[in-house]
């Protein structure tokens, strides 16, 4: 009997600016911390708090992990299947 599958995770795509930020991370510890934060938002895209906005663009969310010292700013598509990371701070 096959093992049951867990909930579907959101796919994560990086904006060009986030990809550049990702390219500057060289520390193994920082990469590990970022990976953990990405897992959190892929499992629960609404884990972060909504940032104030005027509603004219995508609703930006911010996920902060104070223990790992990671901050991600991202938005979730209408189908809630893709999380696009707009800013990475490790």
């Amino acid at each position: 009997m096959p093992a049951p599958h867990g909930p579907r995770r959101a796919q994560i795509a990086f904006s060009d600016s986030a990809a550049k930020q990702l390219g500057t991370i060289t520390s193994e510890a920082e990469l590990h911390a970022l990976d953990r934060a990405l897992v959190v938002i892929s499992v629960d895209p609404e884990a972060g708090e909504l940032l104030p906005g005027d509603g004219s663009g995508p609703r930006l969310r911010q996920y902060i992990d104070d223990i790992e010292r990671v901050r991600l700013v991202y938005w979730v598509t209408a189908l809630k299947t893709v999380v696009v990371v707009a800013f990475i701070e490790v």
Side-chain angles (χ1 to χ4, degrees):
M1 174 180 231
H5 294 284
R8 184 171 172 231
R9 289 185 179 189
Q11 295 178 0
I12 296 178
F14 297 95
S15 66
D16 290 341
S17 62
K20 286 180 185 177
Q21 292 170 351
L22 184 61
T24 64
I25 298 173
T26 57
S27 162
E28 203 56 42
E30 289 178 344
L31 286 172
H32 179 72
L34 176 60
D35 187 51
R36 289 176 56 114
L38 291 172
V39 167
V40 169
I41 63 172
S42 73
V43 171
D44 181 8
E46 296 183 11
E49 65 184 51
L50 280 173
L51 294 175
D54 61 9
S56 63
R59 292 297 314 258
L60 292 177
R61 301 186 76 85
Q62 171 179 258
Y63 174 78
I64 298 175
D65 183 333
D66 291 325
I67 295 171
E68 294 283 353
R69 296 179 15 187
V70 175
R71 177 177 175 235
L72 301 174
V73 176
Y74 63 98
W75 70 90
V76 182
T77 65
L79 297 177
K80 296 188 178 185
T81 57
V82 178
V83 175
V84 180
V85 177
F87 179 78
I88 302 169
E89 185 176 89
V90 180

